[in-house]
Amino acid sequence: MSEHKEILARIEQVLEEKVRPDLALHRGNIRSLDCTDGVYRFQLTGQCAGCPSAMLTTESLIRTALMENIPALKDVVLVNSVSQELLDQARAILRGERPCG
């Protein structure tokens, strides 16, 4: 197994054991985007997406769990972006249409 795949597998293991149970208490989850050059990027999903406390959750829970358990990581970065589906729904509302979905 390559070092990159080993790091990704270890990230998923730490997320399953130490992060996802806490996020699930708030009806949230985490989606891994990538891990390049030791920088892990992710999005929060569910009720955690866009939450005002997302940065605190990232710092106190996610970054701490990953950095303490995976020495190869240099940084953990929350990517805040809006899905295309949500943008389409917002545009429909602004046009006075009833959004699908």
Side-chain angles (χ1 to χ4, degrees):
M1 183 183 276
S2 73
E3 181 180 355
H4 182 73
K5 286 184 181 180
E6 286 179 27
I7 291 172
L8 290 174
R10 183 70 181 124
I11 287 170
E12 284 302 317
Q13 180 183 7
V14 172
L15 293 176
E16 283 299 315
E17 293 172 2
K18 301 180 181 286
V19 175
R20 285 192 172 106
D22 286 341
L23 294 178
L25 293 173
H26 301 273
R27 296 186 187 147
N29 204 343
I30 185 170
R31 177 184 311 133
S32 297
L33 298 176
D34 65 54
C35 185
T36 307
D37 299 324
V39 178
Y40 171 68
R41 290 175 184 79
F42 69 94
Q43 288 179 319
L44 292 172
T45 63
Q47 295 296 316
C48 293
C51 172
S53 297
M55 290 308 294
L56 179 61
T57 299
T58 298
E59 286 294 324
S60 66
L61 175 65
I62 301 165
R63 178 175 281 122
T64 300
L66 291 173
M67 299 292 281
E68 285 179 356
N69 290 280
I70 306 170
L73 286 181
K74 297 175 187 170
D75 201 5
V76 175
V77 178
L78 170 63
V79 176
N80 281 320
S81 62
V82 178
S83 72
Q84 188 60 48
E85 178 184 10
L86 188 57
L87 286 172
D88 291 343
Q89 289 177 1
R91 286 183 184 111
I93 291 168
L94 291 172
R95 288 190 303 264
E97 300 169 5
R98 184 167 180 216
C100 298

